[in-house]
Amino acid sequence: MMDASFQIRRAADRGHAANDWLDAHFSFSFGDWHDPLWPRFGPLLAINEDRVQPGRGFAMHPHANLEILMLPRQGRIEHRDNFGGHTTIAPGELMRMRAGTGIRHSQMNPSADEIDHHFQIWLAPRTTGVEPQVQTLRLMPPVAGSWVVIASAAGADGLPIDADATVSWGRADKGAPLALPARPAKSRYLHVMCGELSVNGQPLCAGDALVLPDAAQPLMLAARHGAEVLGFELPGIR
């Protein structure tokens, strides 16, 4: 759905893969699913929404030259890597994995009875061939009507990432909309994690995305009930 200043991508148009332990939705081309219109959005390569069954997960596998963010929404994620790293993160926490020259890791749901629901984000790095690194951060949830930066190239807020992107977590509620101030020469990609919003009278539901190739004009996201959004501010994309 197009508007003069933005485009809406619907949840149903995402890629989907499912088996006995994983249910995954892809915003951009990923694995065996290819979308010629949406292979990526600038340095934003993947927004995968995964649900992993208890006791299951991704066995040891490699990555290189990627900035990967893991954001749990329900349950826990247990990470192990070939450098001896071992950590478990839960909702309200964020993990950043800088794959750099190469890292092998497993990503498992350690629970015996709870589904792991998380977002996995891939960003193209500005610098290749750097030393791999894993960091975690306890996040400060946004109050209604506000954004919290969870990762940025500047690193002043949230976790530092070596990518041309600022990643934010926003929350809107009735009477507390989310403002999108003008950002000349920037683009935005907003993914609704939960709840319902509207922009210029057009509805946005969980899994939908709002795309602003040119963020020079301000917008407002209104909500009837609590809604949460992942926001990406990126270099201008034409």
Side-chain angles (χ1 to χ4, degrees):
M1 183 181 298
M2 295 293 295
D3 186 275
S5 58
F6 60 80
Q7 178 177 358
I8 294 175
R9 298 185 66 202
R10 294 302 180 189
D13 295 330
R14 294 180 295 173
H16 182 225
N19 56 35
D20 64 335
W21 62 270
L22 173 68
D23 188 276
H25 289 86
F26 314 124
S27 294
F28 305 101
S29 294
F30 194 87
D32 294 331
W33 183 72
H34 300 281
D35 185 338
L37 297 179
W38 293 98
R40 62 192 290 172
F41 190 66
L44 181 56
L45 306 180
I47 304 174
N48 295 351
E49 184 174 9
D50 296 340
R51 287 175 171 85
V52 181
Q53 291 297 312
R56 306 296 295 274
F58 301 88
M60 196 70 72
H61 61 281
H63 293 293
N65 294 320
L66 281 173
E67 294 282 302
I68 299 174
L69 299 175
M70 302 295 299
L71 181 67
R73 298 290 290 170
Q74 174 189 334
R76 294 174 294 147
I77 302 170
E78 183 178 28
H79 161 95
R80 295 180 186 269
D81 60 54
N82 61 313
F83 296 100
H86 179 207
T87 189
T88 300
I89 56 172
E93 298 177 305
L94 179 72
M95 185 180 83
R96 187 217 72 197
M97 184 167 65
R98 177 167 294 164
T101 53
I103 188 170
R104 292 181 59 81
H105 83 119
S106 64
Q107 176 190 317
M108 306 298 293
N109 178 357
S111 174
D113 54 15
E114 187 175 20
I115 290 176
D116 153 28
H117 174 204
H118 66 264
F119 286 91
Q120 180 176 175
I121 299 154
W122 288 12
L123 294 156
R126 296 183 298 190
T127 310
T128 59
V130 298
E131 182 179 354
Q133 186 183 48
V134 176
Q135 284 182 279
T136 61
L137 177 69
R138 184 71 187 174
L139 300 173
M140 179 67 70
V143 299
S146 72
W147 295 92
V148 170
V149 174
I150 63 174
S152 68
D157 297 297
L159 285 174
I161 49 174
D162 183 30
D164 290 322
T166 297
V167 186
S168 301
W169 174 14
R171 182 169 181 265
D173 214 331
K174 184 176 181 179
L178 271 176
L180 297 172
R183 290 284 190 267
K186 295 288 187 180
S187 295
R188 284 195 179 99
Y189 193 98
L190 307 175
H191 183 95
V192 182
M193 293 192 289
C194 66
E196 297 181 6
L197 299 156
S198 65
V199 56
N200 288 2
Q202 298 189 42
L204 290 164
C205 300
D208 291 345
L210 179 67
V211 188
L212 294 86
D214 183 353
Q217 300 299 320
L219 280 175
M220 195 71 72
L221 299 177
R224 293 185 189 178
H225 307 289
E228 296 181 38
V229 180
L230 266 177
F232 301 86
E233 188 173 293
L234 308 161
I237 298 165
R238 295 292 184 265

